[in-house]
Amino acid sequence: MAQEQIGQFGINHVSILDKEGNVDEKLASGFTKEQLSEMYYYMNLLRKFDEKLFNLQRSGKIGTYAQTKGQEASEIGSGLALSENDWFVPSFRELGVYLTRKVPKNLLVQAWNGDTRALGNPNHSHNLPISIPIGSQCIHATGIAWASQIKQEKDVTIVYFGEGATSEGDFHEAMNFAGVFNLPIVFFCQRNGWSISTPTTKETKSETIAQKAIAYGFKGIQVDGNDVLAVNKVTTQAIEKARSGDGPTLIESITYRMGDHTTSDDSMKYRTQEEINEWENKDPVLRFEKYITNNNILNEQEKTDIHNAIEREIQEAVEQGLSVEKPNPEQMFEDVFAQMPEMLKEQKEELLNEIIQMSEQNNNGGNQ
Amino acid sequence: MTKMHMVSALNNALDIAMKADDKIVILGEDVGVDGGVFRVTENLQKNYGEQRVIDTPLAEAGIVGCSIGMSLNGLKPIPEIQFSGFSYQAFHHIKQHMARIRQRTNNTMSCPMVLRAPCSGGIRALEHHSESPESFFIHCQGIRVIMPAGPYDAKGLMLAAIKSEDPVIFLEPKKIYRSFKEDVPEEAYEIELDKANVRKQGTDLTMISWGAMTRLCEETIEDLEKENISVEHIDLRTLWPLDINTLSNSVNKTKKCIIVQEATKSCSLSSEISAQINERCVLNLEAPIQRVTSWDLPFPQFALENYFLPNKTRIKNAVKKVLEF
């Protein structure tokens, strides 16, 4: 019996910007002022918009909301690496990527207020709506990428998920299909420490998420997810690789969910304030602010202009998003089949009669 | 016209569709080189290449989930689940994504596709290979469910299903894949979806069936006719959306109704048909509706399947019950 090593595998970790705002000059050199300014705008927009949506939920103006706080670099860095025609397949915590995809902010307010009309995005059919069942979007993204390959189109698909999704079978089936057929796809894992109350260590025994790619025959890479420059660089490389026909990449973006899972959750039940404080020291927005300021990339006036614009845009989006007329009740019947079947027509009539009756009863001040 | 059994009719339909539309892709386990374990996709990979007739890894959720993505990105996938008993691994994608993408995107996205799966029993197959799961899919609001009763219907329904703008689950009863042949036109033709087929006019009672049960009903009706019992026989063709008007018009005429289904009894399509006929026809009914089904049990190992599945005796007993009520 002979025993020999037949394979050797490693995982690289990439970081450019440390938590004090210092950079690896060589790795940071490729970014233009325009790019850095765009990152600055989106990072701050996301932080502020996220806070606003959280407050709107707390004051009862919108429904349950999943905060993005802490994941700004991960989302903005990767979102800005995409081309307009690339396919964006989110889970439900990618507000930042929607922003970089230029989805109107008022629609995002409307969507978090339970209004289906805001989920469809006729202006950009290559953005999918949020996907709540964990991990299932991975396999849809794989199919989308596969269709691009079959049609010989150059679009790349990026799919987002958390480390919890890597426990789901769909993630593994998606990775396997993507590897076997060498598909133009980027799997982007936002490893944010927690799946509701379950820590990463209880989701997987693997030292890294990135190494899971090795089993499927393609490259996995780990990146400091609170470092917008590193995330952008790694994602850009993965997208270029996919576009040139060299297949999929799994990116493990190490970040932290600074908020609760959603506005219905209280994370103090399962994690400590010390842990949150520790990650506040690595805050992606502050870190980038230090870098921009220390290196005079934007002067005070330029920064103030950006912050004023953000303030104004958010205010407008909220006003528009909340003042939109409620959806027509009939609408839930309209969009199920291309042509409405008879049975649904009958049920729709029943609802319309019910609405008339209810409004008559209300007008009469009677009991319902 | 050519005499074809159902496997050839389906193969012929897929061939015609693939020739006409290069957006159609077939994917599944063993569908390419092998031509499918029942040979429904025989020769298609040879004719249309590995990019359009794809042997996938063994992963049902992957096959259906990828088909959803392909459809969103402009292809018309025809995935095959090798046996409908293995469709449950993909059930999440069918129920939560395939069925709802149109509604949750305000009609800006949809995923037309035809998910094919051999179904039902009667061929002495191994465990998990004989299921009739139509009611699960019917309960996924937003999906069209079709089950052909023979070669002619299979081809026409398949070609219509491929044209459908909504996702279709196309269940193919294995027992009738090769058990009989029918005249099938060689050229393309479509059978109208969402429309039941009155196969035989009659006056004494209405008998409703679908899939392999339709053949069994026909054989039973031949016997009944010798006893001067006149049966109006309706095959559903499209199981959902249900063509309740054709059914209720018939029951209002005959005033008696039997539903024959291979699936188990409770909370099934037969339950729904019975409820809807009662809602519409109760004052015309002269006897309680009878349902002839398999028992409410897991499908047994095949040594006992003939005692589990509906048979002529079970149907005749139900006929007697409604006529003698």
Side-chain angles (χ1 to χ4, degrees):
Chain A
M1 188 179 85
Q3 184 171 307
E4 56 176 328
Q5 188 172 24
I6 56 161
Q8 208 173 359
F9 306 100
I11 292 296
N12 289 334
H13 175 95
V14 180
S15 72
I16 297 177
L17 181 64
D18 72 14
K19 67 182 181 30
E20 306 307 331
N22 305 314
V23 294
D24 178 315
E25 293 293 346
K26 203 171 134 222
L27 289 173
S29 64
F31 295 101
T32 64
K33 178 178 173 181
E34 199 189 346
Q35 276 180 307
L36 295 170
S37 167
E38 196 180 24
M39 283 173 186
Y40 185 81
Y41 161 75
Y42 277 117
M43 296 271 282
N44 283 287
L45 171 64
L46 177 54
R47 174 63 58 94
K48 286 283 172 346
F49 192 35
D50 182 63
E51 272 171 14
K52 187 68 196 177
L53 287 168
F54 177 78
N55 290 333
L56 287 175
Q57 191 281 333
R58 283 292 184 256
S59 57
K61 300 259 174 46
I62 64 169
T64 302
Y65 175 63
Q67 273 183 282
T68 310
K69 190 178 177 191
Q71 300 179 208
E72 290 84 355
S74 184
E75 299 194 5
I76 301 304
S78 58
L80 287 175
L82 306 179
S83 296
E84 199 187 328
N85 260 343
D86 289 337
W87 285 80
F88 161 50
V89 184
S91 73
F92 54 85
R93 208 187 294 284
E94 281 80 24
L95 184 69
V97 188
Y98 277 112
L99 292 173
T100 64
R101 302 287 285 172
K102 301 191 170 56
V103 172
K105 292 184 272 297
N106 56 310
L107 288 183
L108 296 167
V109 175
Q110 213 180 318
W112 282 106
N113 204 17
D115 188 342
T116 304
R117 291 173 302 175
L119 290 176
N121 184 9
N123 300 328
H124 202 311
S125 57
H126 290 190
N127 295 337
L128 260 63
I130 67 167
S131 186
I132 289 178
I134 300 304
S136 58
Q137 72 278 12
C138 295
I139 193 74
H140 307 151
T142 303
I144 290 172
W146 205 348
S148 294
Q149 185 194 62
I150 290 170
K151 293 191 290 178
Q152 297 181 322
E153 291 169 352
K154 285 288 170 197
D155 311 332
V156 172
T157 301
I158 187 165
V159 57
Y160 289 84
F161 50 92
E163 75 270 24
T166 69
S167 304
E168 292 274 6
D170 281 348
F171 163 77
H172 294 275
E173 293 191 22
M175 295 275 286
N176 189 43
F177 275 65
V180 168
F181 296 99
N182 202 39
L183 300 178
I185 184 167
V186 176
F187 293 93
F188 194 95
C189 179
Q190 296 210 68
R191 174 176 168 173
N192 67 7
W194 293 94
S195 306
I196 306 189
S197 69
T198 309
T200 311
T201 49
K202 286 196 175 159
E203 293 292 348
T204 181
K205 172 86 167 150
S206 303
E207 202 175 323
T208 69
I209 299 293
Q211 75 199 57
K212 292 176 191 286
I214 294 166
Y216 298 103
F218 56 88
K219 188 179 168 185
I221 188 160
Q222 194 181 67
V223 62
D224 180 347
N226 282 11
D227 169 354
V228 67
L229 301 179
V231 173
N232 186 257
K233 193 155 207 131
V234 164
T235 313
T236 302
Q237 284 166 353
I239 296 263
E240 278 169 9
K241 177 183 147 201
R243 207 181 310 284
S244 61
D246 292 333
T249 305
L250 169 63
I251 298 173
E252 174 186 11
S253 174
I254 298 186
T255 180
Y256 189 72
R257 192 194 80 203
M258 285 167 79
D260 295 331
H261 166 65
T262 67
T263 47
S264 307
D265 175 41
D266 172 14
S267 64
M268 282 300 104
K269 185 128 190 265
Y270 51 81
R271 64 178 181 182
T272 62
Q273 189 58 48
E274 290 72 50
E275 181 182 303
I276 298 172
N277 295 345
E278 198 183 304
W279 280 90
E280 270 171 359
N281 289 330
K282 305 184 210 167
D283 185 314
V285 178
L286 293 181
R287 188 191 301 198
F288 194 57
E289 177 79 34
K290 284 180 197 160
Y291 168 66
I292 290 289
T293 306
N294 296 347
N295 294 280
N296 288 320
I297 290 163
L298 297 170
N299 63 37
E300 285 309 308
Q301 187 57 48
E302 286 170 320
K303 287 201 290 186
T304 309
D305 288 347
I306 288 174
H307 284 282
N308 287 342
I310 287 171
E311 202 89 349
R312 199 174 54 244
E313 287 169 25
I314 290 176
Q315 199 187 334
E316 280 171 16
V318 170
E319 279 166 15
Q320 274 185 50
L322 294 182
S323 64
V324 71
E325 260 184 67
K326 286 245 175 300
N328 187 336
E330 291 168 63
Q331 197 219 306
M332 60 185 162
F333 287 91
E334 306 287 348
D335 300 336
V336 179
F337 289 95
Q339 279 87 35
M340 196 185 302
E342 285 302 316
M343 60 173 187
L344 289 187
K345 286 183 191 161
E346 283 176 25
Q347 291 176 24
K348 187 180 89 172
E349 282 309 308
E350 214 175 311
L351 169 68
L352 292 178
N353 285 333
E354 187 181 292
I355 291 169
I356 293 168
Q357 263 180 297
M358 277 159 47
S359 100
E360 281 170 2
Q361 282 163 350
N362 281 343
N363 291 340
N364 296 337
N367 297 327
Q368 288 182 34
Chain B
M1 289 283 182
T2 311
K3 289 265 181 218
M4 291 188 197
H5 44 54
M6 197 165 87
V7 166
S8 320
L10 285 165
N11 180 264
N12 179 238
L14 294 171
D15 187 37
I16 288 172
M18 292 200 82
K19 199 173 289 169
D21 182 357
D22 66 6
K23 293 282 187 283
I24 294 176
V25 293
I26 288 176
L27 63 157
E29 297 154 12
D30 311 303
V31 297
V33 177
D34 198 35
V37 294
F38 291 100
R39 305 290 178 259
V40 173
T41 53
E42 181 121 282
N43 287 327
L44 296 177
Q45 191 183 65
K46 206 150 66 184
N47 295 342
Y48 300 102
E50 286 179 29
Q51 287 271 311
R52 292 188 62 201
V53 182
I54 308 163
D55 281 321
T56 66
L58 212 165
E60 289 77 14
I63 292 165
V64 177
C66 279
S67 298
I68 290 170
M70 286 175 163
S71 181
L72 289 171
N73 193 0
L75 296 180
K76 168 79 72 143
I78 306 182
E80 177 184 293
I81 296 295
Q82 200 162 71
F83 289 89
S84 65
F86 307 127
S87 63
Y88 309 122
Q89 278 103 325
F91 193 71
H92 168 78
H93 291 278
I94 294 168
K95 169 86 172 82
Q96 300 293 48
H97 301 286
M98 187 204 279
R100 36 186 318 139
I101 192 77
R102 187 188 289 280
Q103 196 202 46
R104 63 195 284 269
T105 58
N106 200 31
N107 211 8
T108 58
M109 292 182 183
S110 60
C111 64
M113 58 191 267
V114 181
L115 192 167
R116 293 182 39 250
C119 72
S120 307
I123 61 158
R124 299 172 60 79
L126 292 175
E127 208 175 355
H128 309 293
H129 287 70
S130 299
E131 320 226 332
S132 294
E134 64 265 28
S135 305
F136 291 115
F137 302 126
I138 288 168
H139 218 69
C140 301
Q141 304 74 15
I143 286 177
R144 183 169 272 112
V145 183
I146 294 173
M147 198 191 288
Y152 177 85
D153 280 11
K155 179 173 172 182
L157 288 168
M158 176 57 77
L159 286 170
I162 291 170
K163 293 261 179 74
S164 166
E165 296 170 83
D166 295 303
V168 175
I169 297 202
F170 199 97
L171 295 167
E172 302 165 1
K174 296 184 289 290
K175 187 176 164 62
I176 56 169
Y177 259 154
R178 293 175 190 275
S179 62
F180 61 95
K181 289 185 174 181
E182 282 177 352
D183 283 332
V184 177
E186 279 141 43
E187 65 277 7
Y189 64 96
E190 287 172 31
I191 290 175
E192 190 182 355
L193 301 183
D194 307 349
K195 202 88 197 118
N197 179 24
V198 181
R199 293 175 73 99
K200 187 185 249 309
Q201 306 264 349
T203 51
D204 293 334
L205 70 126
T206 300
M207 191 179 285
I208 300 165
S209 65
W210 55 95
M213 290 298 104
T214 291
R215 184 77 170 171
L216 178 68
C217 286
E218 258 171 5
E219 288 164 7
T220 314
I221 289 167
E222 274 175 36
D223 294 352
L224 293 169
E225 278 170 347
K226 287 173 198 149
E227 300 170 41
N228 289 324
I229 298 168
S230 162
V231 178
E232 179 140 310
H233 183 203
I234 304 177
D235 176 83
L236 291 184
R237 284 181 168 165
T238 300
L239 311 194
W240 203 259
L242 185 65
D243 179 12
I244 187 64
N245 288 334
T246 298
L247 306 184
S248 58
N249 287 344
S250 171
V251 175
N252 279 331
K253 186 180 80 178
T254 64
K255 305 186 192 313
K256 297 185 177 74
C257 177
I258 289 175
I259 307 159
V260 183
Q261 78 172 12
E262 183 168 332
T264 56
K265 190 167 195 174
S266 301
C267 282
S268 68
L269 179 55
S270 70
S271 320
E272 180 59 29
I273 294 172
S274 172
Q276 290 205 25
I277 288 177
N278 274 310
E279 283 164 9
R280 285 165 167 80
C281 312
V282 71
L283 294 179
N284 289 322
L285 280 172
E286 289 179 353
I289 296 167
Q290 291 299 311
R291 294 189 284 145
V292 179
T293 70
S294 293
W295 315 121
D296 280 331
L297 305 169
F299 202 102
Q301 299 279 353
F302 67 79
L304 293 178
E305 78 175 332
N306 289 341
Y307 298 96
F308 176 73
L309 296 168
N311 52 44
K312 279 190 184 179
T313 307
R314 213 175 291 171
I315 297 174
K316 284 178 188 171
N317 285 342
V319 168
K320 205 167 153 205
K321 224 168 174 174
V322 295
L323 292 182
E324 291 176 0
F325 183 78

